[in-house]
Amino acid sequence: MAAPKARWPVLKARYLEHLKVQNYAPRTIEGIEAHVRFFFEYLEKETKTGDLSELDYEDLAAYQTWLCYAPSAEKEAPLCVNTQHHRLWALQGFFGFLFKRGMILSDPSSALEKPRMRTGLPRNILKPAQVLSLLEMPDTKTPLGLRDSTILETLYATGIRNEELITLKLDGVELEQGQMTVRGKGRKERLVPIGRISLNWLRRYLEEGRPGLLGKRESRLVFVSCHGLPLPRITLSYIVKKYAQRAGLPKGITPHALRHTCAT
């Protein structure tokens, strides 16, 4: 079987479609696409390879070595170990797919040993006083401020992910039972308890804040934009960053930082 350079974009597109069918998250697919594209660029600039079916273990091992020492695009330092790991992980999935589909005769990546990922405490874990300062920043006398306050309280109290919060639906919130049903990675649903304080903010937002944001619009989502539309992910990040700056907190405070703070 042959996999010449002219077919590389097609092969990549088939793999990405396969991942979509397998219910991989859109952001995961975007990351894999970038890693595979990066490998194609390496082949074009650093090798004379014109056919993926000609690659063997030694070629992939050479790529792994190159990754270890090649500087990243943003800075002179080499890629961090975690990025190297993800680039190789994406390649193993790609070549495994080609091999299983009979597009190449052997999988040159199967014997690769990925570098061990570094683990450690998450950055930007907030102290109790910092959390309290952040939660006090929104002006809860306005619908928008009431929404933002409820978002911060919910993120901190429940530790749910960004996507889980912006896709949270009205029928998923059970105020009387003190719980919510969220849809997480792989579209799997899970039940999350809501603390008393967060529950009070949710109730107040749904009664006093959300109607003012919706206007004449209708929505099944709990959190909406100032125009009553679905809340974009970038807006969620902006909300947390804005109030973190007002509270004088260190740079880099994100919704994910609140999730880690909740976990600790």
Side-chain angles (χ1 to χ4, degrees), residues 29-128:
I29 296 176
E30 289 176 10
I32 292 174
E33 189 280 331
H35 292 323
V36 174
R37 174 163 36 88
F38 184 89
F39 177 66
F40 288 168
E41 293 172 356
Y42 159 81
L43 291 179
E44 293 178 351
K45 295 177 182 178
E46 305 291 336
T47 75
K48 297 180 180 180
T49 301
D51 195 316
L52 296 180
S53 64
E54 298 174 355
L55 296 175
D56 56 22
Y57 167 77
E58 295 299 329
D59 294 312
L60 272 294
Y63 174 63
Q64 181 171 4
T65 301
W66 182 85
L67 281 179
C68 185
Y69 295 103
S72 64
E74 294 81 12
K75 51 188 178 180
E76 294 299 322
L79 295 171
C80 71
V81 173
N82 287 7
T83 300
Q84 296 175 42
H85 179 101
H86 287 304
R87 292 210 188 282
L88 295 172
W89 170 77
L91 270 192
Q92 287 183 319
F94 176 60
F95 278 107
F97 169 79
L98 297 183
F99 176 62
K100 290 178 181 178
R101 294 298 187 279
M103 299 174 189
I104 55 177
L105 294 178
S106 62
D107 179 359
S109 71
S110 61
L112 279 179
E113 294 185 17
K114 298 184 292 295
R116 295 180 61 184
M117 295 179 66
R118 293 173 180 170
T119 58
L121 291 175
R123 298 179 180 179
N124 299 322
I125 298 297
L126 299 178
K127 298 178 181 178

